[in-house]
């Protein structure tokens, strides 16, 4: 059990917004991102991590979960369901948590395999009559489009759903939306990411979903690959995945936000699955024309020391906090990272 201290009077940043109970947060999916999310939340005063689920079990403790014991249990026994005393084994972990846990908002750190999975999870929340905030770090355009179709249902259900709120889409898309303000017309948004991870097994879904973008592959094929087949592919490429012209939802999100048409947005990058150092600097370049007729490019570059996990989980919880402030004002439905500013979580 993790004790949360009340906001410290010596830290002035905690006095805004007004001191109140921390938000109760759940994390669905406890792989690479889910575990990083637990660590990101641990020092926060304004959020309390109370629930998490993997495919075979879940853990819920209204007083707060301990990241160390959850991660140790998951890694040694394969599921949070074995956690003492808060774990429960189940073959419908998401449904069980929806029914049992008292949670203000969930970060959905789930694989989107098949490509319809996240939309089906959103539907599960709607059908259960659950109300609150959901945040995902979805990547594919077609996956975000499925959620767009649920806009009215989410609104009627009283759910504020923040989609595409990881790094890309997410942090970089939001940076593009901000940078666009200097221009009268946006010509091009070019996202280039570099990801370095020590071993692919720490982020199986991320790597499978990236493989699905390679020539000759698709989501179905990548989903069906055994771990040995993924390893064999990575052996051939020396652990490197080079991705170009990806189907990434940054395009539909910037189009929906009225910034530019989707064909002006490109996303590509390099993933090194054998080295935690980034193979290149992640950046977004926004090119446009100013009101004076000048063509210029803004560049927003992420620090090389920031990991994928830091750049996904930080924004995800920033958007969760923003989502809660919308929800408290009775504003429900679907929002993207390009139309709402994330709030900083202290
Ligand atoms: P992972 O493979 O490491 O872990 C997935 C977790 O989900 C596991 O704990 C697994 O047990 C659980 N899970 C699977 N099916 C489940 C079910 N039906 N019910 C409950 N739990 C279930 O995944 P990861 O590498 O952390 O990636 C998670 C997602 O984040 C992926 O979809 C990936 O594409 C996305 N991602 C987004 C960005 C971004 O910038 N937007 C960056 C990285 C990853």
């Amino acid at each position: 059990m993790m004790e949360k201290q009340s906001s410290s009077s010596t830290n002035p940043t905690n006095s805004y917004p007004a001191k109140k109970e921390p938000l109760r947060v759940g994390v669905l999916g406890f792989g690479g991102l889910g575990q990083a999310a637990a660590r990101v939340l641990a020092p926060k005063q304004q959020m309390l991590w109370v629930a998490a689920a993997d495919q075979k079990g879940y853990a819920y403790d209204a007083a707060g979960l301990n990241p160390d014991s959850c991660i140790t249990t998951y890694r040694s026994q394969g599921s949070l369901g074995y956690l003492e005393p808060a774990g429960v084994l189940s073959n419908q972990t998401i449904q069980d948590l929806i029914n049992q846990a008292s949670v203000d908002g969930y970060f959905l750190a789930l694989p989107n395999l098949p490509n319809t999975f996240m939309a089906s999870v959103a539907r599960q929340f709607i059908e259960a009559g659950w109300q609150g905030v959901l945040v995902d770090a979805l990547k594919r355009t077609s996956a975000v489009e499925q959620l767009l179709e649920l806009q009215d249902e989410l609104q009627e259900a009283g759910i504020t759903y923040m989609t595409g709120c990881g790094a890309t889409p997410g942090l970089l898309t939001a940076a593009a939306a901000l940078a666009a303000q200097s221009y009268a017309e946006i010509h091009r948004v070019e996202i280039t990411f570099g990801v370095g991870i020590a071993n692919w097994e720490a982020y199986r879904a991320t790597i499978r979903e990236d493989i699905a973008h390679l020539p000759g592959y698709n989501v179905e094929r990548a989903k069906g690959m055994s771990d040995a087949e993924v390893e064999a592919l990575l052996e051939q490429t020396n652990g490197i995945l080079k991705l170009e012209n990806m189907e990434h939802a940054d395009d539909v999100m910037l189009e929906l936000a009225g910034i530019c048409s989707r064909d002006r947005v490109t996303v590509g990058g390099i993933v090194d699955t054998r080295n935690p150092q980034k193979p290149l600097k992640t950046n977004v370049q926004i090119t446009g024309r100013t009101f004076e007729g000048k063509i210029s490019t803004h560049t927003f570059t992420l620090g090389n020391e920031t990991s994928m996990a830091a750049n996904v989980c930080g924004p995800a919880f920033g958007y969760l906090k923003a989502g809660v402030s919308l929800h408290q004002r009775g504003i429900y439905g679907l929002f993207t990272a390009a139309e709402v500013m994330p709030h900083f979580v202290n």
Side-chain angles (χ1 to χ4, degrees):
M1 208 190 288
M2 277 271 292
E3 289 291 328
K4 283 271 170 180
Q5 291 165 355
S6 60
S7 300
S8 156
S9 56
T10 56
N11 182 353
T13 56
N14 281 333
S15 59
Y16 175 81
K19 210 159 113 179
K20 39 185 160 165
E21 285 298 297
L23 299 171
R24 297 157 304 174
V25 173
V27 174
L28 300 186
F30 205 60
L33 285 186
Q35 292 170 42
R39 293 225 185 276
V40 166
L41 285 176
K44 302 287 187 192
Q45 304 289 320
Q46 296 176 328
M47 289 188 176
L48 179 65
W49 179 50
V50 296
D54 58 57
Q55 202 162 12
K56 297 184 213 138
Y58 65 92
Y60 174 59
D61 187 337
L65 291 167
N66 181 312
D68 290 332
S69 39
C70 287
I71 292 170
T72 305
T73 303
Y74 183 85
R75 291 193 183 164
S76 59
Q77 292 176 269
S79 173
L80 287 164
Y82 295 104
L83 185 77
E84 292 290 347
V88 180
L89 289 165
S90 161
N91 55 13
Q92 43 154 33
T93 60
I94 298 176
Q95 194 62 48
D96 289 350
L97 267 188
I98 296 174
N99 294 340
Q100 288 171 31
S102 202
V103 165
D104 298 303
Y106 282 99
F107 171 34
L108 311 177
L110 294 161
N112 195 36
L113 298 166
N115 196 36
T116 51
F117 184 63
M118 205 64 82
S120 75
V121 171
R123 227 172 271 118
Q124 239 179 303
F125 276 92
I126 294 169
E127 280 159 17
W130 185 86
Q131 297 200 326
V133 179
L134 299 174
V135 178
D136 72 38
L138 271 183
K139 294 212 275 201
R140 281 196 177 254
T141 307
S142 50
V144 167
E145 282 171 336
Q146 291 164 38
L147 283 164
L148 285 170
E149 286 172 23
L150 295 178
Q151 165 76 282
D152 292 346
E153 285 169 67
L154 287 165
Q155 201 161 350
E156 281 158 29
I159 293 173
T160 305
Y161 192 117
M162 320 292 291
T163 191
C165 296
T168 167
L171 183 59
L172 296 176
T173 339
L178 190 59
Q181 307 304 322
S182 298
Y183 303 123
E185 187 187 30
I186 314 307
H187 294 161
R188 189 164 157 76
V189 175
E190 190 174 4
I191 293 173
T192 311
F193 62 82
V195 167
I197 52 177
N199 60 314
W200 86 274
E201 290 94 340
Y203 291 96
R204 286 169 204 261
T206 302
I207 298 306
R208 277 207 174 74
E209 289 177 41
D210 281 342
I211 288 173
H213 290 274
L214 293 174
Y217 289 83
N218 58 30
V219 177
E220 272 315 293
R221 182 163 174 208
K223 177 176 183 284
M225 286 170 81
S226 65
D227 285 359
E229 285 170 326
V230 172
E231 266 151 37
L233 171 70
L234 293 174
E235 195 54 48
Q236 279 170 30
T237 64
N238 211 13
I240 304 280
L241 296 175
K242 190 166 185 294
L243 303 155
E244 284 169 330
N245 281 320
M246 299 171 82
E247 185 215 308
H248 243 233
D250 307 81
D251 63 357
V252 66
M253 289 160 61
L254 290 170
E255 185 173 90
L256 279 170
I259 287 162
C260 62
S261 61
R262 63 178 78 188
D263 58 343
R264 296 185 176 194
V265 182
T266 57
V267 181
I270 295 185
V271 181
D272 188 342
T273 60
R274 295 180 179 173
N275 184 348
Q277 290 197 334
K278 289 187 193 190
L280 56 87
K281 282 196 169 201
T282 297
N283 67 86
V284 53
Q285 295 195 301
I286 305 94
T287 302
R289 179 180 51 75
T290 69
F291 77 102
E292 303 105 324
K294 300 268 194 241
I295 308 291
S296 189
T297 299
H298 283 331
T299 304
F300 174 71
T301 307
L302 301 188
N304 259 357
E305 299 76 14
T306 59
S307 60
M308 174 176 79
N311 290 318
V312 173
C313 298
F317 291 119
Y319 281 104
L320 198 155
K321 185 175 170 188
V324 168
S325 95
L326 294 175
H327 196 264
Q328 284 169 345
R329 284 181 276 157
I331 302 168
Y332 312 133
L334 189 81
F335 300 88
T336 82
E339 60 181 318
V340 176
M341 268 277 186
H343 291 192
F344 192 79
V345 184
N346 287 297

